Amino acid sequence: HVQLVESGGGLVQPGGSLRLSCAASGFTFRSNCMGWFRQAPGKEREGVAAIASDGSTRYADSVKGRFTISKDNAKNTLDLQMNSLKLEDTAMYYCAADLRYSWCYVVFLRESEFGYWGQGTQVTVS
């Protein structure tokens, strides 16, 4: 069965860096759209970054130039490198997979398109 397990969250000072990782299993990782989403207390979940099968990426405006999404198809892992962290980056971060198609040609930051989710990892910038 599909499993997504996030790790790497923690407490960091403003301006610091963190690297999140998501270990995926139970599906053909390289073929699918993958993404990172986040939800801050009292706010709706929002898309942060996503990556298509060919490695093309999409970012939320709020993280462009600071966050980098990447994947390792050999290890079935999805990473999110977060630099220059701000207070407003504090949130629970979720890894997500869109398994509707056999190949992901283009990816969007649409929560409704991602049907599989990890349990989340907390990032606190303070």
Side-chain angles (χ1 to χ4, degrees):
H1 66 285
V2 175
Q3 276 196 310
L4 300 169
V5 181
E6 303 96 334
S7 61
L11 175 64
V12 63
Q13 293 183 344
S17 298
L18 275 177
R19 188 176 185 89
L20 305 183
S21 188
C22 172
S25 61
F27 63 99
T28 307
F29 178 79
R30 64 182 178 86
S31 299
N32 298 105
C33 295
M34 299 294 298
W36 286 98
F37 291 75
R38 67 186 181 187
Q39 186 168 23
K43 295 187 177 181
E44 293 186 352
R45 190 155 54 185
E46 62 176 355
V48 175
I51 189 166
S53 298
D54 66 353
S56 58
T57 58
R58 194 175 298 272
Y59 295 92
D61 289 342
S62 59
V63 306
K64 281 180 182 176
R66 300 189 298 122
F67 290 12
T68 302
I69 188 172
S70 62
K71 62 176 182 169
D72 186 328
N73 291 330
K75 296 181 179 179
N76 284 6
T77 56
L78 178 75
D79 289 346
L80 184 68
Q81 177 65 43
M82 305 185 295
N83 298 328
S84 303
L85 283 162
K86 304 176 180 180
L87 296 176
E88 53 264 40
D89 293 319
T90 295
M92 185 71 77
Y93 283 71
Y94 298 91
C95 171
D98 176 0
L99 305 187
R100 295 174 296 162
Y101 309 110
S102 59
W103 192 258
C104 176
Y105 292 97
V106 63
V107 66
F108 297 95
L109 290 172
R110 296 172 184 163
E111 182 180 351
S112 60
E113 297 183 357
F114 290 81
Y116 294 85
W117 297 82
Q119 82 289 348
T121 186
Q122 178 68 38
V123 172
T124 301
V125 184
S126 178

